[in-house]
Amino acid sequence: MTMQSTSPSLTITPNKNIKVIKRDGNLAPLDVSKIREVVNWACEGMEANPITLEAGLTTRLRHGVTTREIQDNLINCALELCSPSDPNWRYVAGRLQIWSLWKDTLVRRGYEYGDYCRTVHNKVEQGQYDVRILTYTAEELQEAGSWINPEWDKDYDYAGAVLLNKRYLLTDELPQEALLTCALLLAIVEKPENRLFWARKFYQAIAQRKVSLATPILANLRIPHGSLSSCFITAMDDNLESIFDTIKDAARISKNGGGVGTNVSRVRSTGSWVMGKQNTSGGVIPWIKLLNDTAIAVNQGGRRAGAITVSLDVWHLDVPEFLEMQTENGDQRRKAYDIFPQLVIPDEFMRRVISREDWTLVDPYEVREKLGIELATTWGESFESVYQKIEANLDTEITLYKKVNARDLFKLIMRSQVETGMPYLWFKDTSNRANPNQHEGYIPGGNLCQESWSNVKPGEEAHTCNLDSLNLANIEREELPEVCEIAVRMLDNTIEITNTPFEASKNHNQKYRTIGVGAMGLADWLAKNRLTYNHLNEISHLFEDIGFYCTKTSMELAKERGYYPAFKGSAWSQGKLIGAKPVEWFLQHAAQKERWQQLSLDIQQYGIRNSHITAIAPNTSSSLVQGCTASILPCYSRFFYDKWAKGTVPIAPPFLQDHFWFYPENKSLNQQIVVKAVATVQKWIDTGISMELMFNLNEGVYFPDEPDRAIKAKDIFDTLILAWQEGCKAVYYVRTVQRDSFKEADDGCVACAN
């Protein structure tokens, strides 16, 4: 940001007859100097002229106006001044929002920053803070309080300041107090002589927005008995006890603010047998509807509706109805509008889609009873072998089935995606090949945001993962080793202090110690370095470093604390590294080869602390608090207004003013470029990446030389196929930018407006 020179006198003319109502309710004469002080403070260090801001306020002053109204008017003036050519006004509005928070807190509790120890004891007494914060002595809390830097509150733009206050801060709590308390609690599992050392590192990393804590950690860590894990995956077995236990577990997860993934592929299909009677089963839809209603009823403590993704293998006989359960037509008793459908896709299906072969939908119960095969647990070559056996026994052993053309089924999937954004696609074989714990089971499907998963056993082990993210917009390359170490260490500590919502989650947490260090702000990092999403080598080198430093830290933690209990027999124990790939792959593809060879040897000797270490979440809301672009995707638009309850809010990336042309807009970017960039990153990420695809349906966007040509269904089809071929593990939402009409595509599929 460019420094602003000293400004001339401001424009408000004092009026002795005007009295204002202060925040404590008292009446006082209007003091123009205080308004000028706030305006100058908010504009300091930015290309934002305080005269311009004050000039917008002059017509709004009146007798009896409250100081809060003046502050809000200043905020509105700053927001109105914000534009693509002058985006810094949103930071001015953010500072004014923070100033208002400071003053409200001062009135309510009698002080702002400066007495952290008092704040802690008061909030423990009020039941707002977890009593574990008192692990620290008064002297230690006083020392920790001296680390607080109120200047860091000035770094938030308006969207970030509002979200931080609304979603994360407790009553009468200031931002740096919240972040410091989180840091101290994350450090309580450290050795007593090292607690303050690590707490300070944690605080500085999160307060300077180099590491972003996931919402459950930032929202729940300070409160008593909070659950800190973000991602959960459960699976239903084909019996009533398992089904209702899974629904109960989903409710417990939702209560604590976690995202739920539930696989239902083992449940018998519509028309299957129940108690020996054929054509009795109602299939998976009634149970999905119960999950749907659970998400509505258990609304994450009133913060937002529960969120559940239900995954179903694409060979299941109920797949066609699964694709229709969010449409308006049909029996409303078999609709589920509030869950997020996900299809589990094996390689064999994708091959048949490409070659236009038939695909057989079957009932898992009949396959289990007649052939002794639990089809849901198979993947890769094992799946292909048993699937061929099933197809060889059609009409003899297997009577409940339906043959469809794989390409036609994929078109139905695509149509649903373009109309609703879903179903998500989770590539089962790609994900399970990268699973380091194949010796202990398999992964049935993806989580809610399609970036985190591991082994699941119905009723025994429910995937549980703790997340944070590196903010690449605020990290210099030389800082990466230390910041990665901090991010991994914080999450490993989180496993020790979280309250898991049910027993299967606790079992998984202790056995696999799954964490997910993610990344946000890649678009900002590229812009800052004057690079684009076509610079795949530079992207690869960046994430090679991230993958290496995070994996190395987990190995060092194993030296210090021991390896995860399921380590022996894992791919890690065999010298394989990220994605269960042999070390030879790293010697062939890495920019710095020798370090990977040594890391492989070290892990075989010392073990590794966490079975999964990296996963890139969507970070849509938290990126606003972090002041960067979400995840690793391009920004939707360089500058736009988002509609909030309080009106429209300007959204822009941090380096827009100086690097405008290095921010490609995702709404008009060829998505095959995005797929190739995500696939490049995926090579160095051991779990998954939330990859949203965005297709603009308007003419001339992707084909500037052909102004009348719009994207066709075949273009979307080719992009989805490319995602699978390039090794992406999942496709999250498919977004569309609308157009007024749509035409029949060349291959017979319809490209529909969202």
Side-chain angles (χ1 to χ4, degrees):
M1 295 178 183
T2 304
M3 295 299 293
Q4 177 72 32
S5 60
T6 303
S7 64
S9 298
L10 300 185
T11 60
I12 294 179
T13 303
N15 185 332
K16 295 181 180 179
N17 295 322
I18 294 179
K19 292 187 182 293
V20 299
I21 301 173
K22 299 171 66 176
R23 293 171 192 266
D24 60 7
N26 292 324
L27 203 65
L30 171 65
D31 187 344
V32 173
S33 65
K34 290 186 177 180
I35 298 177
R36 288 172 175 164
E37 176 188 348
V38 174
V39 168
N40 281 318
W41 175 84
C43 294
E44 183 183 8
M46 288 187 284
E47 287 186 349
N49 193 331
I51 295 176
T52 306
L53 179 58
E54 190 176 350
L57 180 66
T58 53
T59 59
R60 296 184 172 98
L61 293 178
R62 69 184 190 282
H63 182 74
V65 69
T66 67
T67 55
R68 182 175 285 105
E69 284 180 280
I70 295 174
Q71 194 81 4
D72 289 343
N73 285 337
L74 284 171
I75 290 171
N76 290 333
C77 288
L79 294 176
E80 290 168 5
L81 289 167
C82 197
S83 68
S85 61
D86 206 357
N88 282 341
W89 286 106
R90 74 189 196 279
Y91 288 102
V92 175
R95 290 180 178 183
L96 292 168
Q97 182 74 17
I98 289 293
W99 181 280
S100 190
L101 172 65
W102 287 357
K103 298 310 170 187
D104 285 341
T105 305
L106 173 62
V107 169
R108 287 197 297 261
R109 74 182 192 187
Y111 64 99
E112 294 179 20
Y113 288 117
D115 198 345
Y116 177 68
C117 187
R118 176 183 175 187
T119 299
V120 167
H121 282 279
N122 285 344
K123 292 201 172 298
V124 169
E125 289 176 9
Q126 294 163 7
Q128 290 187 350
Y129 274 5
D130 192 318
V131 70
R132 288 181 292 182
I133 190 65
L134 297 182
T135 300
Y136 297 93
T137 65
E139 291 75 17
E140 289 173 324
L141 290 174
Q142 187 173 358
E143 180 182 345
S146 71
W147 308 336
I148 285 178
N149 184 356
E151 287 292 300
W152 289 336
D153 281 359
K154 295 167 62 176
D155 294 337
Y156 297 98
D157 71 357
Y158 180 71
V162 171
L163 271 178
L164 181 67
N165 186 20
K166 180 180 178 181
R167 183 168 293 181
Y168 300 113
L169 297 185
L170 303 176
T171 304
D172 298 339
E173 182 183 49
L174 295 174
Q176 298 305 314
E177 294 169 344
L179 301 181
L180 177 57
T181 306
C182 286
L184 288 165
L185 287 168
L186 286 169
I188 60 173
V189 301
E190 302 287 347
K191 295 177 180 177
E193 62 271 22
N194 293 331
R195 278 183 193 142
L196 287 184
F197 171 82
W198 283 111
R200 186 167 191 172
K201 281 185 174 291
F202 294 167
Y203 168 64
Q204 290 175 339
I206 59 180
Q208 294 179 83
R209 300 190 300 176
K210 297 180 187 296
V211 177
S212 170
L213 300 177
T215 291
I217 300 177
L218 192 52
N220 296 340
L221 176 57
R222 306 185 305 289
I223 65 176
H225 313 299
S227 177
L228 312 180
S229 301
S230 297
C231 308
F232 299 83
I233 303 174
T234 61
M236 284 184 180
D237 236 335
D238 190 33
N239 59 73
L240 284 177
E241 290 76 18
S242 176
I243 289 169
F244 281 99
D245 282 346
T246 303
I247 293 169
K248 181 171 64 175
D249 291 342
R252 288 170 171 164
I253 295 168
S254 185
K255 173 186 175 182
N256 288 280
V260 187
T262 300
N263 182 261
V264 297
S265 296
R266 301 184 191 211
V267 177
R268 65 195 72 189
S269 67
T270 304
S272 187
W273 291 260
V274 176
M275 300 178 67
K277 298 178 181 179
Q278 191 176 6
N279 202 28
T280 305
S281 171
V284 299
I285 302 299
W287 310 123
I288 294 174
K289 184 168 175 57
L290 287 179
L291 284 167
N292 180 96
D293 295 343
T294 299
I296 297 170
V298 188
N299 60 353
Q300 301 192 3
R303 290 193 298 269
R304 55 186 177 182
I308 301 176
T309 178
V310 177
S311 63
L312 186 67
D313 281 74
V314 75
W315 47 256
H316 198 287
L317 193 58
D318 284 345
V319 161
E321 190 177 10
F322 184 75
L323 291 172
E324 295 291 325
M325 67 183 174
Q326 295 190 321
T327 63
E328 297 294 336
N329 300 324
D331 187 351
Q332 292 300 303
R333 293 171 299 178
R334 295 181 68 84
K335 300 294 179 180
Y337 297 111
D338 299 285
I339 60 95
F340 300 86
Q342 170 192 163
L343 279 178
V344 177
I345 309 287
D347 288 348
E348 180 64 17
F349 175 72
M350 297 303 291
R351 285 191 286 265
R352 294 194 190 189
V353 168
I354 293 171
S355 60
R356 300 175 183 265
E357 295 180 50
D358 283 344
W359 181 250
T360 308
L361 305 176
V362 295
D363 168 34
Y365 174 79
E366 185 180 25
V367 170
R368 185 165 54 244
E369 292 297 309
K370 301 282 185 65
L371 300 179
I373 298 169
E374 185 60 83
L375 192 54
T377 65
T378 62
W379 61 274
E381 292 181 358
S382 174
F383 170 79
E384 291 158 20
S385 175
V386 298
Y387 195 68
Q388 290 171 8
K389 181 179 179 181
I390 290 167
E391 291 188 311
N393 284 277
L394 297 179
D395 295 322
T396 53
E397 295 288 338
I398 303 301
T399 59
L400 190 58
Y401 69 90
K402 182 179 181 180
K403 276 192 172 292
V404 297
N405 181 274
R407 176 74 67 97
D408 290 340
L409 180 55
F410 200 74
K411 288 178 184 178
L412 288 176
I413 295 168
M414 284 175 52
R415 176 160 190 154
S416 178
Q417 286 178 316
V418 175
E419 289 178 343
T420 70
M422 300 170 284
Y424 309 147
L425 303 182
W426 188 76
F427 298 120
K428 188 175 187 178
D429 295 348
T430 307
S431 298
N432 273 283
R433 276 193 296 270
N435 179 15
N437 298 308
Q438 297 172 26
H439 65 305
E440 286 286 343
Y442 83 109
I443 310 171
N447 70 314
L448 178 65
C449 297
Q450 297 295 283
E451 91 284 5
S452 176
W453 47 75
S454 60
N455 291 352
V456 175
K457 295 178 183 176
E460 298 178 36
E461 297 169 5
H463 167 78
T464 304
C465 189
N466 310 283
L467 303 178
D468 62 18
S469 293
L470 310 178
N471 184 347
L472 299 175
N474 292 341
I475 299 172
E476 300 302 322
R477 195 65 176 262
E478 63 272 14
E479 294 179 293
L480 265 181
E482 183 180 27
V483 177
C484 288
E485 178 186 19
I486 289 169
V488 170
R489 195 174 191 102
M490 282 197 297
L491 290 184
D492 191 65
N493 290 359
T494 299
I495 294 172
E496 299 301 317
I497 59 178
T498 188
N499 295 285
T500 48
F502 55 103
E503 193 66 24
S505 171
K506 180 180 179 181
N507 295 340
H508 184 283
N509 224 21
Q510 294 176 344
K511 180 176 179 179
Y512 295 110
R513 303 191 66 84
T514 302
I515 63 173
V517 176
M520 58 175 74
L522 176 60
D524 310 310
W525 184 87
L526 291 171
K528 188 166 60 172
N529 290 280
R530 296 183 174 271
L531 300 171
T532 72
Y533 278 83
N534 285 315
H535 286 86
L536 297 182
N537 283 337
E538 289 81 357
I539 293 172
S540 182
H541 294 164
L542 171 64
F543 281 91
E544 177 186 338
D545 280 350
I546 291 171
F548 175 79
Y549 294 131
C550 288
T551 307
K552 184 174 185 286
T553 298
S554 189
M555 179 274 296
E556 295 287 354
L557 282 171
K559 277 187 188 180
E560 178 185 332
R561 302 172 173 179
Y563 47 73
Y564 74 94
F567 169 75
K568 291 183 178 179
S570 70
W572 295 111
S573 71
Q574 299 163 19
K576 296 178 181 179
L577 296 169
I578 295 170
K581 295 189 291 286
V583 70
E584 289 76 19
W585 183 94
F586 295 86
L587 298 179
Q588 181 180 352
H589 295 91
Q592 299 184 47
K593 306 181 190 315
E594 293 76 12
R595 62 180 179 175
W596 291 100
Q597 178 80 62
Q598 185 59 51
L599 182 58
S600 174
L601 294 173
D602 288 343
I603 291 174
Q604 289 178 79
Q605 180 176 358
Y606 302 111
I608 199 163
R609 182 67 170 166
N610 314 99
S611 67
H612 293 73
I613 303 162
T614 50
I616 299 180
N619 291 318
T620 308
S621 295
S622 55
S623 67
L624 294 176
V625 177
Q626 289 292 308
C628 66
T629 51
S631 188
I632 61 169
L633 299 176
C635 58
Y636 166 75
S637 180
R638 295 187 187 102
F639 184 92
F640 65 98
Y641 285 94
D642 199 2
K643 291 183 179 180
W644 287 12
K646 291 187 176 181
T648 56
V649 178
I651 306 293
F655 309 127
L656 182 67
Q657 202 151 14
D658 297 325
H659 300 86
F660 184 88
W661 294 111
F662 286 91
Y663 278 108
E665 296 187 317
N666 206 16
K667 64 182 181 181
S668 58
L669 185 65
N670 186 326
Q671 293 300 286
Q672 295 203 8
I673 294 174
V674 175
V675 166
K676 290 177 181 178
V678 171
T680 299
V681 175
Q682 182 65 80
K683 295 172 184 176
W684 308 104
I685 299 296
D686 56 19
T687 319
I689 299 171
S690 296
M691 181 177 69
E692 292 187 16
L693 295 176
M694 181 171 293
F695 298 98
N696 195 314
L697 306 180
N698 294 287
E699 288 83 358
V701 174
Y702 302 113
F703 316 100
D705 297 332
E706 302 177 65
D708 295 330
R709 183 180 171 191
I711 192 172
K712 298 177 180 178
K714 188 178 185 305
D715 299 310
I716 300 176
F717 172 85
D718 290 342
T719 304
L720 294 173
I721 295 296
L722 180 69
W724 169 68
Q725 291 173 332
E726 288 287 319
C728 297
K729 294 179 180 176
V731 176
Y732 192 27
Y733 286 103
V734 172
R735 308 285 193 187
T736 56
V737 178
Q738 298 181 19
R739 64 187 177 117
D740 294 332
S741 60
F742 60 90
K743 300 177 182 178
E744 190 79 5
D746 289 344
D747 67 348
C749 186
V750 177
C752 311
N754 183 11

